[in-house]
Amino acid sequence: MTTRNRTLGEFIIENQDSFQYSSGELSKLINAIRLAAKVVNHEVNKAGLVDILGAAGETNIQGEDQQKLDVLANEKFIQTLTNREIVCGIASEEEDDFISINSNDNQHQNKYVVLIDPLDGSSNIDVNVSVGTIFSVYRRVTPVGTPVTLEDFLQPGKKQVAAGYVVYGTSTMLVYTTGDGVNGFTLNPAIGTFYLSHPNMQFPEDGKIYSVNEGNYIHFHQGVKDYIKYCQQEEGDRPYTSRYIGSLVSDFHRNMIKGGIYMYPKSSVTAEGKLRLLYECNPMAFLAEQANGLAIGGKNRIMDIQPTELHQRVPFFCGSKNMVKKLQEFLEKYH
């Protein structure tokens, strides 16, 4: 069977042995995410035709206005994962607290928890710009047979057993890792099947793209300001190209394919950073490292951070190795 003809389902079965807990549960979990992604993709693609554009009139735990598609995506992913009876708990960026799931036939016997950002970049929905879903999977640390607790979710990123994202763009792609490289699958909308389209995805070690919201430049730490000026200098292969979509999934996806660095630093306005450690930074860091890239929160590796709260925010930098290392040089000057 050629690479181009392999479906996501076939790929999962063929590569199940590379996953250290090859019980079949993780395969079912990825399949559940695949199903929910197809449902959300359908809704995103018809967003201009029905009344699911605009704000829902509520704010989430982050204090951010919820879009109607935020609410819909959140419901679909929670519903699908719950109905499949394969996870013992779910935490969502859109929910105040985690959800404990007790399967009807399986008294708290399931071993995995999922953390999810159901619709990353949702402020772009109304203007038809790519959005995405980010997910992260851990094995529970509390005893099987008991309800999950906060401890099951507050695990450092290095404990992840799987992570990935779905990008809803000109084509819809599901990209994921179980710690054995990164592979991308593109949806054929005619038949509703994901096919392996991007095997063994890798960040180029060098890149020429930097992605940051330069509108916040005045508020950034001096090390970040100096690195941005370095990117803009006319010297050698610089200046680099500035590309910023405002959807982490889309910016990360482009940089992984073309080579680049993504930056969301802390600032005088967001003292702790803005991105969520558990729903955004950890899963993207796992993908970056599995794809020959780096992900840091400053001087430290993102996946070494011990979370202290469910909706914790941190500064986040990730991308091509040499670009991230160069950024670190500028950051260390001001520590």
Side-chain angles (χ1 to χ4, degrees):
M1 185 178 296
T2 65
T3 295
R4 294 290 176 183
N5 291 329
R6 288 163 74 191
T7 67
L8 174 57
E10 290 165 344
F11 183 88
I12 290 171
I13 293 169
E14 291 169 15
N15 291 275
Q16 190 163 289
D17 288 344
S18 68
F19 179 62
Q20 60 176 318
Y21 308 107
S22 110
S23 61
E25 288 175 291
L26 186 77
S27 300
K28 293 177 184 176
L29 201 160
I30 298 294
N31 279 322
I33 290 172
R34 172 184 65 175
L35 174 62
K38 288 197 288 187
V39 174
V40 172
N41 175 70
H42 179 70
E43 298 297 336
V44 168
N45 285 340
K46 69 178 185 182
L49 300 174
V50 294
D51 185 29
I52 51 177
L53 285 176
E58 299 177 359
T59 57
N60 62 15
I61 184 63
Q62 321 295 338
E64 300 163 339
D65 291 336
Q66 285 184 311
Q67 303 295 312
K68 293 176 184 177
L69 269 174
D70 274 325
V71 176
L72 184 146
N74 189 49
E75 290 173 351
K76 293 300 180 186
F77 274 98
I78 290 174
Q79 182 183 69
T80 303
L81 290 166
T82 302
N83 290 347
R84 289 293 184 94
E85 300 188 345
I86 50 177
V87 296
C88 53
I90 302 170
S92 168
E93 187 182 300
E94 299 298 328
E95 300 287 335
D96 292 5
D97 204 353
F98 66 86
I99 301 166
S100 179
I101 298 172
N102 181 20
S103 165
N104 294 328
D105 305 319
N106 208 7
Q107 295 291 312
H108 300 291
Q109 293 298 309
N110 294 324
K111 302 178 182 69
Y112 296 102
V113 296
V114 173
L115 296 100
I116 193 160
D117 180 353
L119 208 61
D120 169 72
S122 56
S123 61
N124 286 323
I125 293 168
D126 290 358
V127 291
N128 204 23
V129 173
S130 297
V131 294
T133 295
I134 306 172
F135 63 91
S136 178
V137 183
Y138 295 82
R139 275 179 74 88
R140 65 182 301 172
V141 293
T142 53
V144 172
T146 63
V148 293
T149 70
L150 185 60
E151 183 185 1
D152 292 304
F153 298 93
L154 297 185
Q155 299 187 56
K158 61 187 176 185
K159 298 288 188 182
Q160 291 174 100
V161 297
Y165 60 82
V166 184
V167 57
Y168 311 103
T170 49
S171 61
T172 295
M173 281 189 66
L174 189 155
V175 177
Y176 84 102
T177 183
T178 57
D180 188 26
V182 176
N183 292 280
F185 301 81
T186 300
L187 179 66
N188 180 340
I191 56 176
T193 301
F194 283 96
Y195 286 94
L196 179 61
S197 55
H198 294 66
N200 191 29
M201 299 178 77
Q202 298 269 304
F203 272 97
E205 290 206 346
D206 291 289
K208 295 185 178 180
I209 297 172
Y210 69 100
S211 306
V212 62
N213 184 353
E214 291 184 75
N216 291 328
Y217 177 88
I218 193 66
H219 304 297
F220 291 157
H221 179 279
Q222 190 59 47
V224 176
K225 289 181 177 179
D226 288 356
Y227 178 73
I228 291 174
K229 289 303 180 186
Y230 167 84
C231 292
Q232 295 170 342
Q233 287 172 355
E234 191 170 5
E235 183 178 334
D237 61 348
R238 289 172 283 132
Y240 296 150
T241 300
S242 174
R243 291 284 183 271
Y244 184 72
I245 298 170
S247 164
L248 172 59
V249 166
S250 301
D251 283 310
F252 180 96
H253 186 72
R254 180 201 54 243
N255 289 354
M256 180 162 58
I257 291 172
K258 294 191 172 184
I261 184 171
Y262 176 91
M263 299 179 282
Y264 212 118
K266 62 182 179 180
S267 70
S268 58
V269 177
T270 54
E272 302 302 321
K274 185 178 180 183
L275 298 185
R276 268 62 57 156
L277 173 62
L278 294 176
Y279 308 107
E280 297 167 309
C281 303
N282 271 340
M284 290 314 212
F286 190 20
L287 286 159
E289 290 193 7
Q290 285 294 312
N292 193 44
L294 289 176
I296 61 172
K299 63 179 179 179
N300 298 322
R301 179 187 182 217
I302 280 288
M303 293 204 295
D304 285 337
I305 298 173
Q306 175 60 54
T308 56
E309 56 185 271
L310 208 53
H311 297 284
Q312 183 174 344
R313 299 173 189 259
V314 295
F316 185 57
F317 310 93
C318 77
S320 297
K321 275 183 180 177
N322 291 339
M323 298 185 80
V324 176
K325 288 177 180 177
K326 190 66 179 180
L327 167 68
Q328 280 183 302
E329 292 178 17
F330 285 94
L331 296 180
E332 286 169 1
K333 287 181 182 179
Y334 294 94
H335 270 299

